[in-house]
Amino acid sequence: MLCASSIVSQAVIADSTHLHLGVMPLFRAGRRKAVDSLDALKAELEQFGSDNDSKHSERPKRMLNITRDTGEFLSVLVRATAARHILEIGTSNGYSTLWLAEAACANGGNVTTVEASKYKASLASETFSRSGLSETITLIHDDAGAVLSLVADTSTDLLFLDSERSEYPAWWNQIRRVLRPGGLLIVDNAISHREEMAPFAALIESEKGYTLSLVPVGKGELLAVKAEDSA
């Protein structure tokens, strides 16, 4: 199935490459044979994430993947909202992206996912090359704030936020700018890290034109829908 083009244009990505130093700001998945089953790949990543995170206490080395029920929830939300232009902040090894991309492609859409860690972006690139969904996914290795500044106004149907929680308030003006009227923001760890999330949740609650819901799925998902008549 042919899916829609990335919400970050190739020209903009090229500009980002020049503006932000680093190795391979844009990762393209290689042409490898897809695994026999996407479910098998998901299960493999779940096991890898669990084994890896039990061995490491340092946050940069942990995968910190979403739970399977959160993945299923994301898939339902993408399909229910008919989201086609999806932005994910915080790729890790690409587990959550697979759930988003599988649903997005069914809608004729795409996912742009942003990861600041070179190590995790490399793992995600390998994941996508095995998934059969590489044509649906654009993976950018860069700072999320820098990438958000390059995304067009009201171009994003659904934004999944699972990254550095302390940065969320600084990103809010960009997030609300890129989210289209009627668009959906989903934020992970809203219950598991309630205190860290509190400043960002309060910021959204103080904003007119957003309807919020805290859903007890996985580590807790904060949902915020932007009003259709928002400027």
Side-chain angles (χ1 to χ4, degrees):
M1 177 183 294
L2 293 177
C3 299
S5 60
S6 167
I7 60 175
V8 183
S9 72
Q10 292 302 311
V12 166
I13 289 170
D15 287 343
S16 177
T17 302
H18 293 296
L19 286 170
H20 307 289
L21 299 179
V23 180
M24 294 183 67
L26 173 65
F27 282 76
R28 282 297 187 191
R31 295 283 185 175
R32 296 199 178 187
K33 183 180 179 181
V35 293
D36 293 340
S37 166
L38 189 57
D39 283 340
L41 178 57
K42 289 175 183 174
E44 178 186 322
L45 293 175
E46 289 164 8
Q47 188 62 55
F48 169 73
S50 178
D51 292 344
N52 178 83
D53 290 5
S54 68
K55 298 174 184 176
H56 298 288
S57 58
E58 307 94 328
R59 180 176 171 82
K61 293 183 179 180
R62 306 186 77 203
M63 297 299 105
L64 301 170
N65 293 141
I66 61 170
T67 60
R68 173 169 276 268
D69 57 347
T70 300
E72 294 168 345
F73 185 54
L74 291 177
S75 179
V76 168
L77 289 174
V78 170
R79 296 169 191 269
T81 59
R84 297 179 67 245
H85 302 293
I86 297 169
L87 178 61
E88 177 184 42
I89 304 297
T91 314
S92 187
N93 61 345
Y95 176 71
S96 55
T97 319
L98 295 184
W99 289 99
L100 294 167
E102 182 181 23
C105 197
N107 293 343
N110 70 285
V111 178
T112 297
T113 184
V114 183
E115 176 55 53
S117 165
K118 179 185 175 184
Y119 167 61
K120 292 180 180 180
S122 295
L123 291 177
S125 182
E126 175 67 16
T127 294
F128 302 152
S129 72
R130 298 177 57 205
S131 69
L133 293 168
S134 60
E135 296 300 318
T136 309
I137 302 166
T138 297
L139 169 61
I140 301 176
H141 168 222
D142 205 341
D143 173 74
V147 175
L148 279 166
S149 70
L150 300 174
V151 179
D153 292 358
T154 65
S155 62
T156 304
D157 298 324
L158 185 149
L159 196 157
F160 180 53
L161 191 55
D162 186 17
S163 185
E164 297 295 332
R165 290 175 288 277
S166 61
E167 297 290 336
Y168 294 176
W171 296 342
W172 172 238
N173 284 339
Q174 296 288 3
I175 289 171
R176 64 177 184 166
R177 177 184 63 79
V178 305
L179 199 65
R180 70 163 175 81
L184 174 63
L185 170 66
I186 309 168
V187 192
D188 195 38
N189 301 111
I191 294 175
S192 64
H193 294 76
R194 190 187 297 266
E195 290 187 6
E196 291 182 26
M197 280 283 296
F200 185 57
L203 194 59
I204 303 175
E205 288 173 357
S206 68
E207 189 81 26
K208 293 182 179 179
Y210 288 83
T211 303
L212 279 69
S213 178
L214 180 60
V215 182
V217 173
K219 300 168 187 175
E221 307 305 308
L222 177 64
L223 274 57
V225 179
K226 187 176 183 179
E228 289 282 1
D229 58 355
S230 293

